């Protein structure tokens, strides 16, 4: 009985739109006229669409840079700050802080930081092409996201702290040096959690690039930061091709499922997930 | 190789300074086993951790095999430790757990395999080498921890209450096995326990620790028969030694005296040293612990179950002069 409000919301706000989008993916629909069933026309158009492949490439580049960076940052901070000390207590919320800053504010801050004319990063390091050069922008956006380590940091911290101290003491008495301890003990013991975090971050990274791509670079320069979510948005709400936009969204779903499946198989193979 | 501690002191500073080891001086002879025994909080585990290098010492010196290792890293001390919770590496198999220390020291693979086979055979783990520690019983985990310690052939073993997580039967069996293993390997061993039975049955020598100070070091027999003070006399022996207030037995007014429960015999009322009434009879296997009320106090007597009186019986209690331990006003042994 108590679950009814939640289940109703889930049905009306998630399940129904998802099914509607899946159906619309096989129609031509401008939002004004009634949808017209077109079979697999949209799919064929998608396969032949250079803009789609370019967006997909940009998205994959974003994931390839952002996910390892964010995971490494979360792990690094967790290892650095897991000990109980006043400095750690102070530093933990600071490490988490960029995650709670609203996306728009965060992007506007980076717009200033990366501004090629008066931004401090351009001034200090001479990096003026981070938003104006296609590859500069392709790297800058995932770099920017690397500071929002949020939940990955909290989970890594909790997992690291759950490893008994005596295991490390046994390793120290066994003669293990720090690098050996890290590679043979810490990393394998944290691997199941890190594998799950990586899975989650890939799914997240497919979506969270929408706000920075829209506000910071508007998908440019030269479409370098037109990621799939922005591509869907433009197709749907700038060109009002809602049917085709649903096809792209469906492809994102398939892509997400495929990536998750591949990672899951890898994790099973490496025995990091039971 | 011998193990020597000289004037080792350690203070913890959590919630204010607390002296946990106070000028501890001990020596374990080459190939011998010393058991450190004491109540909770007496500093036994801290002492072991100082020897292992897991805690720094504030003052004093730790030597392993004549080498000063006071400032050395744990891995450079040539000691192996068995932890109370075993501290096995949960993601590694039994084989990998045992081999971990050798891998860390870059021992050639062929040597690792041979040494792992030898160590696992010594503790009877040959059949479980590919198992995960998570699927082993408490006793088997304990064996893995032991194998991990002995595979490195260290100069000294440090064992921190290794039997405390085992059930009574397994504890007795493992106690025997550890002792026999130590004797056959002749590896110098420091063994920490709060269990006096373990201490008395396992140690070549026993050191009694209280509040960070060594109260007495000696063979189990010496400690039992000639306790250096009232604490040792009461701590070792179950039930503990009966103590009489100063002057009660006609000795000097400042001298307390004690007698072990098994040295007291029942005699006719009026013909022994005390008369009393049996309050309670506790059966412990083939023996009984008889609580006899004598005036304001209660004396404990340990006897065979067949010669036990019944509650309410009026009895006389007797013991020989040589069974009497006497202590001065500072609780030190005088006779």
């Amino acid at each position: 009985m108590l679950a009814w409000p939640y289940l109703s919301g889930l049905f009306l706000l998630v399940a129904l739109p998802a099914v509607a989008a899946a159906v619309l993916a096989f129609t031509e629909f401008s939002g004004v006229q009634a949808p017209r069933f077109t079979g697999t026309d949209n799919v064929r158009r998608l396969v032949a669409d250079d803009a789609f492949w370019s967006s997909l490439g940009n998205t994959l580049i974003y994931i390839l840079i952002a996910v390892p960076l964010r995971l490494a940052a979360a792990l690094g901070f967790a290892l650095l700050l897991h000990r109980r000390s006043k400095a750690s207590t102070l530093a933990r919320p600071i490490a988490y802080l960029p995650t709670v800053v609203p996306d728009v504010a965060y992007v506007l801050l980076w717009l200033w930081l990366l501004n090629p004319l008066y931004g401090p990063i351009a001034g200090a390091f001479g990096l003026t092409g981070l938003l104006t050069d296609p590859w500069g922008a392709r790297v800058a956006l995932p770099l920017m996201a690397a500071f929002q380590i949020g939940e990955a940091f909290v989970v890594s911290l909790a997992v690291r702290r759950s490893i008994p101290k005596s295991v490390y003491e046994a390793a120290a008495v066994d003669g293990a040096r720090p690098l050996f301890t890290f590679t043979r003990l810490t990393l394998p013991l944290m691997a199941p959690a890190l594998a799950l975090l990586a899975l989650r971050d890939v799914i997240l990274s497919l979506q969270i690039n929408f706000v920075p791509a829209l506000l910071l670079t508007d998908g440019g320069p030269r479409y370098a930061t037109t990621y799939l979510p922005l591509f869907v948005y433009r197709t749907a709400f700038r060109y009002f091709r809602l049917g085709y936009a649903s096809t792209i969204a469906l492809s994102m779903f398939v892509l997400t499922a495929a990536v998750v499946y591949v990672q899951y198989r890898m994790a099973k193979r490496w025995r990091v997930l039971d | 190789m011998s193990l020597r501690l000289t004037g080792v002191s350690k203070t913890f500073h959590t919630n204010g300074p607390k002296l946990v080891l106070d000028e501890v001086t001990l020596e374990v002879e080459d190939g011998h086993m010393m058991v450190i025994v004491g109540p909770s909080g007496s500093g036994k585990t801290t002492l072991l951790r100082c020897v292992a290098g897991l805690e720094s010492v504030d003052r004093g010196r730790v030597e392993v095999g004549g080498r000063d290792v006071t400032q050395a890293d744990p891995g450079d001390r040539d000691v192996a430790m068995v932890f109370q919770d075993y501290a096995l590496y949960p993601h590694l198999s039994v084989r990998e757990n045992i081999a971990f220390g050798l891998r860390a020291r870059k021992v050639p693979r062929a040597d690792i395999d041979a040494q792992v086979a030898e160590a696992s055979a010594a503790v009877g783990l040959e059949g479980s080498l590919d198992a995960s520690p998570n699927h082993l019983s408490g006793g088997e985990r304990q064996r893995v921890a032991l194998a991990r310690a002995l595979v490195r052939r260290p100069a000294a073993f440090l064992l921190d209450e290794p039997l405390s997580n085992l059930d009574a039967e397994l504890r007795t069996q493992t106690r025997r096995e550890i002792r026999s293993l130590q004797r056959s390997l002749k590896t110098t061993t420091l063994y920490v326990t709060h269990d006096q039975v373990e201490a008395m049955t396992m140690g070549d020598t026993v050191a009694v620790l209280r509040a960070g100070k060594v109260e007495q070091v000696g063979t189990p027999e010496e400690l039992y028969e000639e306790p250096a003070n009232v604490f040792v006399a009461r701590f070792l022996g179950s039930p503990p030694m009966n103590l009489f207030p100063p002057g009660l037995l006609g000795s000097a007014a400042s001298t307390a005296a004690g007698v072990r429960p098994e040295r007291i015999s029942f005699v006719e009322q009026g013909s022994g040293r005390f008369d009393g009434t049996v309050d309670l009879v506790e059966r412990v296997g083939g023996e009984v612990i008889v609580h006899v009320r004598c005036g304001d106090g209660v004396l404990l007597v340990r006897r065979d179950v067949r010669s036990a009186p019944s509650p309410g019986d009026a009895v006389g209690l007797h013991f020989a002069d040589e069974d009497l331990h006497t202590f001065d006003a500072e609780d030190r042994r005088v006779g």
Side-chain angles (χ1 to χ4, degrees), chain A residues 19-42:
Chain A
V19 172
V23 173
L24 283 177
F26 300 95
T27 65
E28 195 179 304
F29 179 44
S30 63
V32 180
Q33 292 165 320
R36 188 172 60 85
F37 184 70
T38 55
T40 54
D41 280 4
N42 284 342

Side-chain angles (χ1 to χ4, degrees), chain A residues 25 57 114 123 128 135 155 212 218 224 262:
Chain A
L114 297 174
T128 52
W135 273 106
V155 172
D218 196 24
V262 169

Side-chain angles (χ1 to χ4, degrees), chain A:
Chain A
M1 193 69 184
L2 289 172
W4 270 113
Y6 171 75
L7 290 175
S8 315
L10 192 70
F11 177 74
L12 288 172
L13 302 173
V14 180
L16 204 60
V19 172
V23 173
L24 283 177
F26 300 95
T27 65
E28 195 179 304
F29 179 44
S30 63
V32 180
Q33 292 165 320
R36 188 172 60 85
F37 184 70
T38 55
T40 54
D41 280 4
N42 284 342
V43 179
R44 270 182 271 141
R45 190 186 303 164
L46 185 79
V47 173
D49 189 348
D50 287 344
F52 166 72
W53 291 112
S54 160
S55 300
L56 179 62
N58 292 335
T59 306
L60 292 178
I61 290 168
Y62 182 90
I63 289 172
L64 280 174
I65 300 175
V67 173
L69 262 182
R70 228 185 346 242
L71 215 56
L75 177 64
F77 275 114
L79 297 180
L80 208 62
L81 304 176
H82 76 274
R83 289 194 179 87
R84 288 178 199 279
S85 71
K86 280 181 185 162
S88 292
T89 309
L90 192 71
R92 277 181 221 135
I94 294 173
Y96 191 79
L97 204 57
T99 312
V100 294
V101 175
D103 278 354
V104 174
Y106 188 72
V107 167
L108 289 177
L109 173 73
W110 277 94
L111 188 61
W112 171 70
L113 286 171
L114 297 174
N115 189 295
L117 298 177
Y118 53 80
I121 290 178
F125 305 107
L127 296 169
T128 52
L130 285 175
L131 293 181
T132 51
D133 173 73
W135 273 106
R138 279 192 186 104
V139 172
L141 262 67
L143 267 181
M144 195 183 97
F147 291 86
Q148 292 180 304
I149 54 174
E151 293 79 11
F153 165 61
V154 174
V155 172
S156 303
L157 191 68
V159 172
R160 173 58 189 84
R161 286 178 74 159
S162 71
I163 303 174
K165 193 178 162 202
S166 62
V167 169
Y168 285 95
E169 292 179 340
V173 176
D174 266 347
R177 302 294 172 202
L179 184 63
F180 190 87
T181 306
F182 176 69
T183 54
R184 304 296 177 99
L185 216 58
T186 307
L187 218 45
L189 285 172
M190 294 184 73
L194 294 176
L196 279 175
L197 285 173
L199 279 172
R200 175 190 163 279
D201 211 25
V202 166
I203 299 166
L204 198 71
S205 295
L206 272 163
Q207 297 166 24
I208 58 162
N209 47 37
F210 176 71
V211 174
L214 183 72
L215 296 183
L216 200 63
T217 53
D218 196 24
R222 276 178 270 154
Y223 299 104
T225 58
T226 301
Y227 303 117
L228 285 173
L230 184 63
F231 187 44
V232 172
Y233 170 77
R234 281 184 176 160
T235 308
F237 300 108
R238 188 174 287 179
Y239 308 120
F240 293 101
R241 293 159 67 188
L242 293 169
Y244 187 49
S246 296
T247 314
I248 305 166
L250 199 62
S251 77
M252 277 178 69
F253 171 75
V254 173
L255 179 71
T256 309
V259 171
V260 167
Y261 180 73
V262 169
Q263 283 187 309
Y264 175 75
R265 294 296 305 174
M266 281 161 66
K268 284 285 267 189
R269 191 169 177 175
W270 295 338
R271 294 184 186 172
V272 291
L273 286 178
D274 283 329

